Amino acid sequence: MVHRERSYACIHPETYKYFFHVDEVRRIWGVLQACYGPLHHTPGFGVIEIQSERFLFRAVGGGNPITVIRRRGCTDADVEALHRRIGFFERA
Amino acid sequence: MRERFALQYKADEHRRMIGGKETIIHCHHYNARLQHTIEHVTDVDGAKIIRDSAEAVFAEHVANVLEEGDDEATRLAAVGALYAHLGFGRLELSRAAEGVVTSDQSHYVEGWQAGFSETQRKACTFTEGYLQGALAAALGRPFSVREHKCMNAGDDRCEFTVDARHEPVLRNDKRPSDFHPKAADGHGEHGNIDEQAIIDALVQMPFMGSDEGLIPAFGVYLALTPADFYNLMCIQFVEQMRAKGLFRTAQRLLTFAGETCAMNTFRGIMASAEWDALIAPMIQHKEDALYGLMALSNGFGWGNWRVTEHRPAETLTIESLNGYEAIGHREYRGSCDDPQCFMLCGVSAGMMELVYGEGLLEDRFGTFLSEENQCICTDAPCCHFEVEPA
C-alpha cells in the first residue's frame, strides 16, 4: 500500500514523499526510470534522483520514501499518469 | 568549456571560487525575494541597480573565463555556458548578432513562480544585466538588453532584445580588503553536528547547472552567484535609500529578505533527501537542526560563522569571521559607521523562528528579533549577532 506525506519544498507547493512497501521499491524505481529517464547518484550526500521535464524524483540511498517534486508545467494529467504508474490512489 | 569553471574551494575561508570569482550559493526563493524587495521600493530605480550590478560583475566574470585565441562562436558559447553552469538557466544565443536572445529555463522565473506567481510580470532583470556584461566581454562592445517576453508573464519563453549602445560598460571597481579575519580557534557550539562532514559532502557535490541550466538540490533551485553581485547591488540600494533618508527602511527590507530566506529555503532544505541522508541522523536535540543549518550555510560560501551562545528556543549569539557582506563592503567602500550584514542578521532570526517556532510560517515571522551589534565594516574583529524573542 502506497501512502504519501506532504513535504515542504519550495520548488513546488504540491510536493510529497511517497512511501512504498519495502519489497516494492526496487520495482518502482525501475518503472520511474523506464518512464522518466535515467537514475543518477549524486556524490556527497548519497542521494539518488531522476530529473525529468515534469518531475524530479529523489531519495536517499535506500530509495524509500521517494520525494516527488513537480516542476513548472506539470499538469494534473501528468500527476494522474504518475499515480497510475506507481499504484497510488487518493483515499476519498 | 566546463573545465574553465572548475570549482576551487578555499577550505580555510569557506570560499567557493569559480572563474576567479567568489560564488555564493543561494536559492531561487531568496534571489527572487531580494529582487522583489529592491524593485518594489518606488523611491529608487531598483531594476537599474540590479541590471547595472550584474553588468559590471559579469563583464569581469565572463572575461575571466575567455581564453586568448577563442573565436567569436566560442566566446558566445562561454556566455551561455557560464550562465548555465552557475544555475541561472538556459540561453539561446544563436541569434544574438540579430539582436535577439531567448531563454526557456530560468532560475529567476522559478523564484517568481514560487513566491510571487500572482504578479504575472517580466522577471528577468538579472538576466538583462548578465547579458549586457557578458556580451560586452565576449564581443568587445557595449549593449543594452531588455526583456520583452517572459515566462513569468505567461509567454512560452523569455525573449530579450539586444541593441548597441554608446555608454561604456560599467566597471566592477573595488580594492582588496585590508581586513584579516581572526583565526577560527575551534570554539563555537556544534551540538551533535559534524560540521566538517557536512562541508566535505557539499564540496564533493557537483553544484553545476543541468542540461537545462538549473541546479535542483536540497528541495530548491540553487544558483552560484558572485558575492560581488550581491554586494554591489545591496550597497547601491542602501546608498540610494540613505540619500533619501530611508537607511533604516533599506536595512529592515534587506534583513526581512534574509529572514524569509531562512524560513523558506531552510525549511525546504530540512525536508530534502540530502538532509535526510546526512544531517537528520546526527540530530538528537532540536537545537542540532540549527547547528546543521549553520554548517550548511558555511559550506554554501556565506563565510565562516558559528554559534557562541545558545539557549534553545530563547536566545542565540553568533559570530561571523568573514561574512561576504562585510568583506564586500570593505572592498567596495572601506569601513563605515553602521553594520552591513543584513542577510546574515535576518537569517539569524529566521533560523530561530524555523527551528523553534510552531504553526504556519506566516505566523512565525517577527517572533524573534536579531541585531548585528558589531561588524567587520565598523572595524570590529568579527561580526556579532544577537537574537532574542520579540
Side-chain angles (χ1 to χ4, degrees):
Chain A
M1 186 69 180
V2 190
H3 75 280
R4 69 178 187 180
E5 295 176 3
R6 188 77 173 268
S7 175
Y8 290 96
C10 55
I11 284 181
H12 195 288
E14 293 283 317
T15 297
Y16 295 90
K17 289 184 179 179
Y18 289 75
F19 294 78
F20 298 89
H21 190 278
V22 66
D23 297 333
E24 275 286 283
V25 179
R26 184 184 291 261
R27 186 187 68 78
I28 292 295
W29 277 105
V31 169
L32 295 177
Q33 286 180 79
C35 299
Y36 297 102
L39 184 69
H40 297 285
H41 295 256
T42 309
F45 285 83
V47 170
I48 56 175
E49 68 177 345
I50 294 171
Q51 293 188 16
S52 72
E53 188 184 345
R54 299 297 167 88
F55 296 103
L56 301 171
F57 303 97
R58 318 190 79 232
V60 295
N64 198 19
I66 301 173
T67 301
V68 179
I69 300 175
R70 302 177 196 185
R71 307 188 73 177
R72 189 166 45 80
C74 179
T75 64
D76 289 346
D78 294 323
V79 175
E80 283 170 22
L82 168 69
H83 284 171
R84 277 196 306 276
R85 287 164 177 155
I86 64 175
F88 175 80
F89 300 98
E90 197 93 63
R91 287 180 191 167
Chain B
M1 187 65 74
R2 288 269 191 185
E3 66 273 12
R4 299 188 188 188
F5 315 140
L7 171 69
Q8 292 178 305
Y9 183 68
K10 294 184 173 178
D12 53 338
E13 300 172 49
H14 293 193
R15 297 294 189 218
R16 308 177 69 94
M17 307 296 293
I18 294 174
K21 283 265 175 225
E22 176 193 335
T23 59
I24 309 294
I25 298 176
H26 273 297
C27 84
H28 66 312
H29 208 98
Y30 175 68
N31 286 331
R33 165 73 57 180
L34 198 54
Q35 178 191 352
H36 185 274
T37 295
I38 290 173
E39 288 190 355
H40 278 71
V41 176
T42 53
D43 302 84
V44 300
D45 186 347
K48 183 174 183 338
I49 292 172
I50 293 168
R51 201 181 296 118
D52 287 356
S53 302
E55 176 185 320
V57 171
F58 286 103
E60 189 177 74
H61 201 176
V62 169
N64 287 351
V65 300
L66 296 177
E67 295 178 358
E68 216 174 302
D70 283 345
D71 59 18
E72 188 171 301
T74 306
R75 295 164 80 87
L76 274 177
V79 171
L82 180 65
Y83 186 84
H85 184 87
L86 299 177
F88 294 122
R90 184 162 55 193
L91 294 174
E92 165 55 49
L93 289 146
S94 61
R95 291 193 293 149
E98 300 161 32
V100 178
V101 174
T102 60
S103 168
D104 66 346
Q105 297 290 340
S106 165
H107 174 86
Y108 274 88
V109 168
E110 294 295 342
W112 278 76
Q113 288 286 301
F116 313 105
S117 59
E118 73 286 355
T119 57
Q120 295 279 301
R121 48 153 279 185
K122 288 179 287 193
C124 301
T125 316
F126 169 88
T127 306
E128 292 174 342
Y130 176 91
L131 285 169
Q132 287 184 175
L135 290 173
L139 302 176
R141 54 191 186 275
F143 295 96
S144 175
V145 177
R146 292 295 180 272
E147 185 181 36
H148 65 93
K149 287 183 182 175
C150 183
M151 291 183 284
N152 191 55
D155 294 308
D156 63 341
R157 61 189 55 222
C158 302
E159 192 165 301
F160 303 85
T161 53
V162 181
D163 295 308
R165 77 174 201 219
H166 295 297
E167 298 80 18
V169 180
L170 297 169
R171 291 162 52 93
N172 184 33
D173 288 324
K174 61 175 192 171
R175 289 176 303 181
S177 167
D178 55 355
F179 175 78
H180 299 289
K182 70 176 189 177
D185 54 13
H187 293 154
E189 298 177 16
H190 301 285
N192 296 298
I193 296 298
D194 182 347
E195 175 163 323
Q196 195 55 51
I198 294 170
I199 290 172
D200 289 346
L202 279 171
V203 173
Q204 283 179 48
M205 203 168 164
F207 281 111
M208 63 180 75
S210 61
D211 292 343
E212 298 167 325
L214 299 173
I215 307 176
F218 290 96
V220 294
Y221 285 115
L222 298 173
L224 302 152
T225 306
D228 282 355
F229 170 72
Y230 289 122
N231 291 328
L232 199 51
M233 176 175 65
C234 291
I235 288 168
Q236 292 186 80
F237 176 65
V238 171
E239 284 175 345
Q240 292 184 25
M241 291 288 280
R242 188 195 290 272
K244 293 180 177 292
L246 295 170
F247 171 70
R248 294 293 167 206
T249 303
Q251 181 186 38
R252 280 193 210 105
L253 287 170
L254 294 178
T255 302
F256 180 69
E259 185 180 349
T260 306
C261 165
M263 294 273 266
N264 287 289
T265 307
F266 284 167
R267 183 174 68 160
I269 285 173
M270 289 172 67
S272 70
E274 287 89 346
W275 183 272
D276 289 343
L278 185 66
I279 304 170
M282 299 179 190
I283 292 176
Q284 295 178 28
H285 307 292
K286 213 166 188 178
E287 59 267 30
D288 290 330
L290 190 143
Y291 297 125
L293 293 172
M294 298 279 298
L296 272 177
S297 54
N298 282 334
F300 283 168
W302 296 7
N304 185 3
W305 67 334
R306 58 200 182 159
V307 174
T308 53
E309 280 183 54
H310 182 37
R311 285 165 47 209
E314 292 185 26
T315 60
L316 174 67
T317 305
I318 297 174
E319 71 174 16
S320 167
L321 305 183
N322 63 344
Y324 72 83
E325 295 167 290
I327 300 295
H329 193 279
R330 288 186 72 106
E331 289 173 336
Y332 281 108
R333 298 291 189 264
S335 54
C336 61
D337 296 330
D338 299 296
Q340 300 293 326
C341 302
F342 309 117
M343 188 275 294
L344 286 183
C345 192
V347 167
S348 302
M351 283 193 301
M352 289 289 278
E353 292 161 352
L354 178 65
V355 171
Y356 297 110
E358 290 179 357
L360 298 172
L361 281 197
E362 295 77 22
D363 298 332
R364 302 187 204 180
F365 279 107
T367 54
F368 281 87
L369 294 177
S370 54
E371 184 187 7
E372 185 179 17
N373 50 23
Q374 68 177 47
C375 181
I376 288 167
C377 288
T378 62
D379 292 327
C382 64
C383 303
H384 197 265
F385 305 91
E386 294 204 353
V387 188
E388 60 183 22

